[in-house]
Amino acid sequence: MSNAKTDKPIKKRKVKLEGDLLNYKGVWVLVESERGHVHPVSWELMGQGRLLADQLGVELCGVVMGAPGPELQAQCEAAFAYGADRCYRVASPVLADYRNVPYTQALTDLVNQFKPEIMLLGATTLGRDLAGSVATTLKTGLTADCTELAIDPEDRCLLSTRPTFGGSLLCTIVTLNYRPQMATVRHRVMPMPEAQPERSGLIVDVDPHLVETDVITKILDFVPDDQSGKPQLPYAEMIVSGGKGLGKAENFKLVWDLAKTLGAEVGASRAAIHAGWIAADRQVGQTGKTVRPALYIAAGISGAIQHRVGMEASDCIIAINNDPSAPIFDFAHYAIVGDCVQVLPALQKTFAAYLGKS
C-alpha cells in the first residue's frame, strides 16, 4: 500500500505485546441471562467466537454468572452445544439479579485470574452497561456495536468493525498493546450457529467472594417489560419497510397492506421515522433495530449505510426505488426500478392471489 501524494508506503503500527500481556490467551463470550432466560445474542456471539478461536488456535470459553442452581448448569451445557470448550461458572447469591457493581467486580477478577485475549458481550442494555464498566476497570479498549469481527493474520489482533461519523462510514478498530480486546455486538448481526447437543466441555467453578452488604444498590422489585402488541422486528422472518421515497405519510398504508398479506412485520428507515410517518420502534438501522429476516422488502429506501448495517444480513432483499442509481441496488438480491405507489399495490395483489387471500 502506498500514499498517492508521496508514493511512500504507509506504515502499519506494530503490535508488540510485552510482559504479562503475552500470557493472555483464549476467546471469551459472556452468556447473558435474565431470570434464567439466556439472551439469543450470547449464542450468536458463541458462533462467531468459535470462528475467532479456531483461527487463533485457542480455546473458546463461556462465562456464566448468576445465583447457584441448576440454571447455571443448563447454561454451561448450552454453551458447549453452541461451540464453547470451557465454561467459567461464577455463582453467588449476590449475582441473582444484575447489578453493575457486583457483576463488574466478579468479571474483572475473573479476567485478571484467567487472562483472555478477547472478550465479547452482547450490545444489550445489560451488556453495554457491564462492558463499559469492566473495560474501564481493566483499563483496556472496547469497541461498541460492532457489525463485523475478524482476526488480523499478521499480529493476531481482533479487528472490530463498526459504523462511524453518524453511520456514513465503516471503521475497523484495533486494540493494540492492551488486553483483553473487548467488543459488543448487537442481536441479529451475527448468524445463529446450529446447536450440537453432543458436544461437552470443562466447567470451572469460581467463587467471586461477593458480600451483599458491600453492594449499595438493592433490588426492590422486578417489573417485566410488557412487549405485547409491540413490533418484534429482530425476530421477524419477513419484513416490509418503507422510506421517504413513498412520498407522503398516506402512502405508508401500502406498506402495511403488503405486510398484512404476507404476514410480515413493518419496518421503516430513519427518514420515515423523522418525518413522523410511523412510530420510532419500527426503525431498522444503526440507531434502530438490527434484523435478519428470510425476506426483506425495502420500499422507497435509498440504502444509506445507516440503514444497510441494520438489514444487509437478510437472506433475500427486494428493493423498490424509482432511482436506478440508489445505493440499495448495490446489495439487494432483486431490484425493482419504479414508483412504490404503483409497485406495492401490484405486489400485494399478486401475493394475495398466490396465497389465496382476498
Side-chain angles (χ1 to χ4, degrees):
M1 184 181 295
S2 63
N3 187 314
K5 292 183 178 179
T6 63
D7 203 29
K8 293 181 179 179
I10 298 175
K11 293 183 179 180
K12 181 180 175 182
R13 291 182 63 185
K14 297 287 186 179
V15 176
K16 185 179 180 182
L17 297 179
E18 298 177 349
D20 188 47
L21 296 181
L22 294 170
N23 299 322
Y24 284 71
K25 300 292 182 184
V27 178
W28 283 15
V29 174
L30 175 73
V31 179
E32 178 186 331
S33 66
E34 183 180 40
R35 306 263 161 169
H37 298 285
V38 176
H39 197 293
V41 71
S42 301
W43 306 138
E44 294 166 4
L45 286 176
M46 200 67 74
Q48 181 65 27
R50 181 72 270 165
L51 298 176
L52 300 178
D54 288 345
Q55 189 170 348
L56 290 168
V58 297
E59 279 190 329
L60 172 64
C61 304
V63 178
V64 173
M65 306 174 72
E71 291 175 346
L72 295 189
Q73 176 70 27
Q75 291 173 22
C76 289
E77 293 172 356
F80 297 143
Y82 282 109
D85 302 306
R86 177 190 302 245
C87 259
Y88 294 103
R89 181 166 56 187
V90 186
S92 169
V94 183
L95 300 175
D97 292 291
Y98 176 74
R99 289 174 290 177
N100 180 273
V101 172
Y103 267 70
T104 297
Q105 179 182 332
L107 188 54
T108 300
D109 291 345
L110 192 70
V111 168
N112 286 331
Q113 182 177 356
F114 294 101
K115 304 183 186 311
E117 55 191 304
I118 294 173
M119 184 159 62
L120 308 176
L121 301 89
T124 60
T125 302
L126 185 157
R128 287 185 174 113
D129 183 65
L130 181 60
S133 298
V134 172
T136 301
T137 307
L138 293 171
K139 297 181 180 179
T140 189
L142 166 65
T143 308
D145 285 351
C146 297
T147 57
E148 184 180 348
L149 299 173
I151 299 296
D152 188 325
E154 293 184 12
D155 53 29
R156 295 171 56 91
C157 275
L158 177 66
L159 304 176
S160 305
T161 302
R162 70 177 309 278
T164 187
F165 288 108
S168 59
L169 293 173
L170 291 173
C171 68
T172 298
I173 298 172
V174 182
T175 302
L176 295 172
N177 299 318
Y178 296 89
R179 292 294 183 271
Q181 305 160 93
M182 294 181 61
T184 63
V185 178
R186 286 203 285 181
H187 178 39
R188 303 289 277 178
V189 169
M190 306 295 180
M192 176 68 75
E194 184 176 345
Q196 299 175 304
E198 71 279 3
R199 291 189 84 260
S200 60
L202 174 66
I203 297 178
V204 179
D205 286 303
V206 179
D207 184 355
H209 302 292
L210 298 172
V211 180
E212 178 61 42
T213 54
D214 293 339
V215 184
I216 297 176
T217 19
K218 307 297 177 186
I219 302 295
L220 302 180
D221 193 13
F222 176 78
V223 181
D225 188 12
D226 183 9
Q227 293 294 322
S228 61
K230 295 184 178 180
Q232 300 294 325
L233 288 172
Y235 306 96
E237 284 299 308
M238 291 187 286
I239 298 173
V240 183
S241 284
K244 283 297 290 293
L246 288 166
K248 55 184 178 180
E250 290 78 7
N251 292 337
F252 218 96
K253 181 181 182 298
L254 302 175
V255 173
W256 287 99
D257 291 344
L258 178 57
K260 183 177 180 181
T261 298
L262 293 173
E265 273 284 5
V266 172
S269 67
R270 183 172 64 173
I273 299 292
H274 287 179
W277 294 356
I278 192 169
D281 56 4
R282 298 270 179 188
Q283 182 178 341
V284 175
Q286 180 195 359
T287 53
K289 304 290 196 307
T290 300
V291 300
R292 201 183 187 94
L295 174 64
Y296 189 90
I297 299 178
I301 296 174
S302 66
I305 188 65
Q306 294 95 331
H307 190 78
R308 178 175 180 171
V309 297
M311 47 67 74
E312 65 178 338
S314 304
D315 292 341
C316 180
I317 300 171
I318 299 175
I320 309 165
N321 203 295
N322 58 12
D323 179 5
S325 61
I328 198 165
F329 290 143
D330 294 336
F331 59 94
H333 300 95
Y334 298 95
I336 302 176
V337 180
D339 188 348
C340 296
V341 178
Q342 296 177 344
V343 175
L344 287 175
L347 283 178
Q348 191 272 333
K349 183 178 179 179
T350 303
F351 280 121
Y354 179 78
L355 298 171
K357 295 183 178 182
S358 59

